[in-house]
């Protein structure tokens, strides 16, 4: 028999379920998951209410109809749970074939349940009410419903793997609802039934479906932001409210009615503040949760950027390596070409010289003149090739020095003055080494490279001087050795000084007029070789026509 308390209880279940259905639906009426949930909730309510009300009437015919409606509700609830699982929390593909097949089977079972005796045959009167007599299709019906729930469960599990953190929490609520429902059903319908030996309490198993509704609603509404304690408070306040609201109607006297109604009003005020407090709590929690999610998003973003940066760095490193390789190849090519140029040029020069000297017989005066022209041109060409070769060599093995202890005075005399003196004399210029005041120590230098460096500077002095000459001096300044090359030539403009060493092919205006075949490479090479020795080179000049002084500074070790 259904007691008054049970009626109230069932009413509460109905109201709670319906309210949740409406809330979920109105939150996002266009979302498939929310729509399906609403229908699912209605099915569960039909199922629970008809199960309960089937116990009330005296007329067993009505009980039979209501029992059939109950099973109809169960069937629809299972079907919609099945559909729901394809849309929550992520949408996964529900094949049209499967959709219509399930719809069709459910439709047939609905007809069989409602309008035939194949699922539910009849009712058997019992002292407490009745037991159900099942038809021959009942087992199939049951298997079908269980299958739907299993597929739904499998979908949720599948979803769990690909879900975000938030969706996982949602699914956890859903699982909690399912577990409570299934556990309660098993306890009531299997365990209690086995103990009592009849279906007397089977309705209570049905009532537990409300947990499924409640937790699913929480899951959809993302109620995970609450603590379970807060959720329970809300349910309790709601349930108490409904009980207190119904109580006055059930009271026998007016006094009691008034009293209970007053209690209800008091409770409303209390409930209002309680719920308000929980909502504020929710807001705070939501904010905290939002921040956490934001932080996680930012962290993910930072990680992504770091990965990109690493990839870019790797690419740029690769490019640098590639560039270096190409650069080396280019220099190697240049060197090879120049070697091949120098050898035939030297041979030509030798033959020209031997011809001029009369090794192959005496030459007539008419031939001698053009032959000298050829000889001078070849010599100039060799010089050009050597300069280019120096640049290439410089780039190839910048830092590679073959150092040897060197007495600089003798070195300058032998390698520079002796070699350049003839051309100085030819121009009517002097070239001298001024004696040093202090003792000049021996230093470590790469003699070949240093020769090129100093030679260029002294040669320039002679080239850009028309009267007077060039003086070389060695001195120690701040513990370093300085080679000072001073000439009485055309001088250098202030604005040109800085540029002289910086770029190749850079030439002064005056110099171009005086010496047209210069290429502006010499000083660039000198600077690089000197810097390879940890030294410095710079120039000073009072201005045009006032001569120039070049300083080469070298460390003593
Ligand atoms: P090049 O002498 O072949 O032009 P360098 O690199 O040796 O190339 O010199 C670059 C430029 O520096 C010269 O063209 C000239 O303008 C200037 N220069 C170098 N030495 C002197 C000097 N002693 N007096 C005046 N100008 C000079």
């Amino acid at each position: 028999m259904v007691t008054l308390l049970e009626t109230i209880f069932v009413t509460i279940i109905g109201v709670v379920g319906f309210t949740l259905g409406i809330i979920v639906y109105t939150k996002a009426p266009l979302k498939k998951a929310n729509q399906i949930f609403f229908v699912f909730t209605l099915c569960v309510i039909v199922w629970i209410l008809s199960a309960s009300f089937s116990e009330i009437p005296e007329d067993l015919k009505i009980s039979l109809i209501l029992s059939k409606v109950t099973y109809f509700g169960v069937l629809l609830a299972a079907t919609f749970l099945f559909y729901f699982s394809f849309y929550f929390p992520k949408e996964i593909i529900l094949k049209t074939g499967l959709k219509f097949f399930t719809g069709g089977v459910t439709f047939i079972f609905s007809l069989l349940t409602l309008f035939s005796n194949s699922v539910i045959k009849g009712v058997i009167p019992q002292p407490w009410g009745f037991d159900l007599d099942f038809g021959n299709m009942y087992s199939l019906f049951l298997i079908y419903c269980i299958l739907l729930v299993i597929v739904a469960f499998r979908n949720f599990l599948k979803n769990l793997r690909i879900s975000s953190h938030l969706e996982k929490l949602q699914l956890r609520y859903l699982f909690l609802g399912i577990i409570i429902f299934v556990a309660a059903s098993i306890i009531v319908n299997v365990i209690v039934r086995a103990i009592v030996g009849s279906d007397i309490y089977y309705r209570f198993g049905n009532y537990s479906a409300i947990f499924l509704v409640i937790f699913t609603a929480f899951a959809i509404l993302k109620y995970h932001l609450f603590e379970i304690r807060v959720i329970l408070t809300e349910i309790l306040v709601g349930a108490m409210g409904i009980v207190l609201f119904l109580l006055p109607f059930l009271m026998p006297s007016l006094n009691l009615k008034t009293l209970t109604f007053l209690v209800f009003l008091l409770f409303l005020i209390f409930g209002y503040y309680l719920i308000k407090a929980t909502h504020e709590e929710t807001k705070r929690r939501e904010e905290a949760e939002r921040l956490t999610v934001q932080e996680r998003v930012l962290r993910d973003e930072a990680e992504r950027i770091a990965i990109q940066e690493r990839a870019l760095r790797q690419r740029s490193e690769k490019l640098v390596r590639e560039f270096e390789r190409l650069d080396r190849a280019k220099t190697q090519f240049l060197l090879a070409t120049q070697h091949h140029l120098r050898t035939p040029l030297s041979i030509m020069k030798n033959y020209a010289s031997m011809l001029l000297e009369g090794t192959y017989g005496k030459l007539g005066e008419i031939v001698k003149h053009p032959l000298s022209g050829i000889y001078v041109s070849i010599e100039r060409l060799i010089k050009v090739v050597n300069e280019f070769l120096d640049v290439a060599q410089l780039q190839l093995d910048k830092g590679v020095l073959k150092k040897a202890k060197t007495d600089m005075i003798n070195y300058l005399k032998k390698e520079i003055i002796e070699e350049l003196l003839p051309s100085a004399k030819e121009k009517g210029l002097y070239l001298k080494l001024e004696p040093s005041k202090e003792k000049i120590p021996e230093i470590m230098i790469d003699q070949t490279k240093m020769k090129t460096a100093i030679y260029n500077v002294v040669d320039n002095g002679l080239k850009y001087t028309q009267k007077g000459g060039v003086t070389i001096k060695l001195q120690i300044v701040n513990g370093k050795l300085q080679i000072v090359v001073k000439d009485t030539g055309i001088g250098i403009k202030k604005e040109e000084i800085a540029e002289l060493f910086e770029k190749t092919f850079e030439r002064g205006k005056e110099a171009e007029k005086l010496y047209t075949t210069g290429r502006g490479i010499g000083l660039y090479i000198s600077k690089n070789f000197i810097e390879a020795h940890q030294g410095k080179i710079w120039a000073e000049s009072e201005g045009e026509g006032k001569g120039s002084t070049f300083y080469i500074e070298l460390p003593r070790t």
Side-chain angles (χ1 to χ4, degrees), residues 345-379:
L345 277 175
S346 306
I347 295 169
M348 280 158 79
K349 187 183 148 189
N350 281 345
Y351 278 125
S353 142
M354 286 194 291
L355 276 172
L356 280 172
E357 282 163 10
T359 315
Y360 299 103
K362 208 167 160 31
L363 296 179
E365 281 307 311
I366 313 168
V367 186
K368 242 185 191 170
H369 180 67
L371 197 57
S372 310
I374 292 176
Y375 180 80
V376 171
S377 294
I378 292 174
E379 220 172 20

Coordinates of all heavy atoms in Angstrom, one line a residue, residues 345-379:
L345 N 100.9 32.8 -64.8 CA 101.4 34.2 -64.9 C 102.9 34.2 -64.5 O 103.6 34.9 -65.2 CB 100.6 35.0 -63.9 CG 99.2 35.6 -64.3 CD1 98.5 36.3 -63.2 CD2 99.4 36.5 -65.5
S346 N 103.3 33.5 -63.5 CA 104.7 33.4 -63.2 C 105.5 32.9 -64.3 O 106.6 33.5 -64.6 CB 105.0 32.5 -62.0 OG 104.1 32.9 -60.9
I347 N 105.0 31.9 -65.0 CA 105.8 31.3 -66.1 C 105.9 32.4 -67.2 O 107.0 32.6 -67.8 CB 105.0 30.1 -66.7 CG1 105.0 29.0 -65.6 CG2 105.7 29.6 -68.0 CD1 104.1 27.8 -65.9
M348 N 104.8 33.1 -67.5 CA 104.8 34.2 -68.5 C 105.8 35.2 -68.1 O 106.6 35.7 -69.0 CB 103.4 34.8 -68.7 CG 102.5 34.0 -69.5 SD 100.8 34.4 -69.2 CE 100.6 35.9 -70.1
K349 N 105.8 35.6 -66.8 CA 106.7 36.6 -66.4 C 108.2 36.2 -66.6 O 109.0 37.0 -67.1 CB 106.5 36.9 -64.9 CG 107.3 38.1 -64.4 CD 107.0 38.3 -62.9 CE 108.3 38.9 -62.3 NZ 108.2 38.9 -60.8
N350 N 108.5 34.9 -66.2 CA 109.8 34.4 -66.4 C 110.3 34.5 -67.8 O 111.4 34.9 -68.1 CB 109.9 33.0 -65.9 CG 110.0 33.0 -64.4 OD1 110.2 34.0 -63.7 ND2 109.7 31.8 -63.8
Y351 N 109.4 34.0 -68.7 CA 109.8 34.0 -70.1 C 110.0 35.4 -70.6 O 111.0 35.7 -71.3 CB 108.7 33.3 -71.0 CG 108.8 31.8 -71.0 CD1 107.8 31.0 -70.6 CD2 110.0 31.2 -71.4 CE1 107.9 29.6 -70.6 CE2 110.2 29.8 -71.4 CZ 109.1 29.0 -71.0 OH 109.2 27.7 -71.0
A352 N 109.1 36.3 -70.2 CA 109.3 37.7 -70.7 C 110.6 38.3 -70.2 O 111.4 38.9 -70.9 CB 108.1 38.6 -70.1
S353 N 110.9 38.0 -68.9 CA 112.2 38.5 -68.3 C 113.4 37.9 -69.1 O 114.4 38.6 -69.4 CB 112.2 38.1 -66.8 OG 113.5 37.8 -66.4
M354 N 113.3 36.6 -69.4 CA 114.4 35.9 -70.1 C 114.6 36.5 -71.5 O 115.7 36.7 -71.9 CB 114.2 34.4 -70.1 CG 114.5 33.8 -68.7 SD 114.7 32.0 -68.7 CE 113.1 31.4 -69.1
L355 N 113.5 36.7 -72.1 CA 113.5 37.3 -73.4 C 114.2 38.7 -73.4 O 115.1 38.9 -74.2 CB 112.1 37.5 -74.0 CG 111.4 36.3 -74.7 CD1 110.0 36.6 -75.0 CD2 112.2 36.0 -76.0
L356 N 113.8 39.5 -72.4 CA 114.4 40.8 -72.3 C 115.9 40.8 -72.0 O 116.7 41.6 -72.5 CB 113.7 41.6 -71.2 CG 112.3 42.2 -71.5 CD1 111.6 42.8 -70.3 CD2 112.5 43.3 -72.6
E357 N 116.3 39.8 -71.2 CA 117.7 39.6 -70.8 C 118.5 39.1 -72.0 O 119.8 39.0 -71.9 CB 117.9 38.7 -69.6 CG 117.5 39.4 -68.3 CD 117.3 38.5 -67.2 OE1 117.5 37.2 -67.4 OE2 116.7 38.9 -66.2
G358 N 117.9 38.6 -73.0 CA 118.6 38.1 -74.2 C 119.0 36.7 -74.1 O 119.8 36.2 -74.8
T359 N 118.3 35.9 -73.2 CA 118.6 34.5 -73.1 C 118.3 33.7 -74.4 O 119.0 32.8 -74.7 CB 117.7 33.9 -72.0 OG1 117.8 34.7 -70.9 CG2 118.2 32.5 -71.6
Y360 N 117.3 34.2 -75.2 CA 117.0 33.5 -76.4 C 117.5 34.3 -77.6 O 117.0 34.3 -78.7 CB 115.5 33.4 -76.6 CG 114.9 32.6 -75.4 CD1 114.2 33.2 -74.4 CD2 115.0 31.2 -75.4 CE1 113.7 32.5 -73.4 CE2 114.5 30.5 -74.4 CZ 113.8 31.1 -73.4 OH 113.3 30.3 -72.4
G361 N 118.6 35.1 -77.4 CA 119.2 35.8 -78.5 C 118.9 37.3 -78.4 O 118.0 37.7 -77.7
K362 N 119.7 38.1 -79.0 CA 119.6 39.5 -78.9 C 118.3 40.0 -79.6 O 117.9 39.6 -80.6 CB 120.8 40.2 -79.5 CG 121.1 41.5 -78.9 CD 122.5 42.0 -79.4 CE 122.7 43.4 -79.2 NZ 122.1 44.1 -78.2
L363 N 117.6 41.0 -78.8 CA 116.3 41.5 -79.4 C 116.6 42.8 -80.0 O 117.3 43.6 -79.6 CB 115.3 41.6 -78.3 CG 114.8 40.4 -77.6 CD1 113.8 40.7 -76.5 CD2 114.2 39.4 -78.6
G364 N 115.8 43.1 -81.1 CA 115.9 44.4 -81.7 C 115.2 45.4 -80.8 O 114.3 45.1 -80.0
E365 N 115.5 46.7 -81.0 CA 115.0 47.8 -80.1 C 113.5 47.9 -80.3 O 112.7 48.2 -79.4 CB 115.6 49.1 -80.5 CG 117.0 49.3 -79.8 CD 117.0 49.1 -78.3 OE1 116.1 49.6 -77.6 OE2 117.8 48.3 -77.9
I366 N 113.0 47.6 -81.5 CA 111.5 47.7 -81.8 C 110.7 46.7 -81.0 O 109.7 47.0 -80.4 CB 111.2 47.4 -83.3 CG1 112.2 48.2 -84.2 CG2 109.8 47.8 -83.7 CD1 112.2 47.8 -85.6
V367 N 111.3 45.5 -80.7 CA 110.5 44.5 -80.0 C 110.7 44.8 -78.5 O 109.8 44.5 -77.7 CB 111.1 43.1 -80.3 CG1 110.3 42.0 -79.6 CG2 111.2 42.9 -81.8
K368 N 111.8 45.3 -78.0 CA 112.1 45.5 -76.6 C 111.1 46.3 -75.9 O 110.6 46.0 -74.8 CB 113.5 46.2 -76.4 CG 114.5 45.3 -75.7 CD 115.8 46.0 -75.5 CE 116.8 45.1 -75.0 NZ 118.2 45.7 -75.0
H369 N 110.6 47.4 -76.6 CA 109.7 48.3 -75.9 C 108.4 47.6 -75.6 O 107.9 47.6 -74.4 CB 109.5 49.6 -76.7 CG 108.5 50.5 -76.1 ND1 108.8 51.2 -75.0 CD2 107.3 50.9 -76.5 CE1 107.8 52.0 -74.6 NE2 106.8 51.8 -75.6
P370 N 107.7 47.1 -76.6 CA 106.4 46.4 -76.2 C 106.6 45.2 -75.2 O 105.7 45.0 -74.4 CB 105.8 45.9 -77.6 CG 107.0 46.0 -78.5 CD 107.9 47.0 -78.0
L371 N 107.7 44.5 -75.3 CA 108.0 43.4 -74.4 C 108.1 43.9 -73.0 O 107.5 43.3 -72.1 CB 109.3 42.7 -74.9 CG 109.4 41.3 -74.3 CD1 108.3 40.4 -74.7 CD2 110.7 40.7 -74.8
S372 N 108.7 45.1 -72.8 CA 108.8 45.6 -71.4 C 107.4 45.9 -70.9 O 107.0 45.7 -69.8 CB 109.6 46.9 -71.4 OG 110.8 46.8 -72.1
G373 N 106.6 46.5 -71.9 CA 105.2 46.7 -71.5 C 104.5 45.5 -71.0 O 103.8 45.5 -70.0
I374 N 104.7 44.4 -71.8 CA 104.1 43.1 -71.4 C 104.6 42.7 -70.0 O 103.8 42.3 -69.1 CB 104.4 42.0 -72.4 CG1 103.7 42.3 -73.8 CG2 104.0 40.6 -71.9 CD1 104.0 41.4 -74.9
Y375 N 105.9 42.8 -69.8 CA 106.5 42.4 -68.5 C 105.9 43.2 -67.3 O 105.5 42.6 -66.3 CB 108.0 42.6 -68.6 CG 108.7 42.2 -67.3 CD1 109.0 40.9 -67.1 CD2 109.0 43.2 -66.4 CE1 109.6 40.5 -65.9 CE2 109.7 42.8 -65.2 CZ 110.0 41.5 -65.0 OH 110.6 41.1 -63.8
V376 N 105.8 44.5 -67.5 CA 105.2 45.3 -66.4 C 103.8 45.0 -66.1 O 103.3 44.8 -65.0 CB 105.4 46.8 -66.8 CG1 104.6 47.7 -65.7 CG2 106.8 47.2 -66.8
S377 N 103.0 44.7 -67.2 CA 101.6 44.4 -67.0 C 101.4 43.1 -66.3 O 100.6 42.9 -65.4 CB 100.9 44.3 -68.4 OG 100.8 45.6 -68.9
I378 N 102.3 42.1 -66.7 CA 102.2 40.8 -66.0 C 102.5 41.0 -64.5 O 101.8 40.4 -63.7 CB 103.2 39.8 -66.7 CG1 102.7 39.4 -68.1 CG2 103.2 38.5 -65.8 CD1 103.7 38.5 -68.8
E379 N 103.5 41.8 -64.2 CA 103.9 42.0 -62.8 C 102.7 42.6 -62.0 O 102.4 42.1 -60.9 CB 105.1 42.9 -62.8 CG 106.1 42.4 -61.8 CD 107.4 43.2 -61.8 OE1 107.4 44.4 -62.4 OE2 108.4 42.7 -61.3

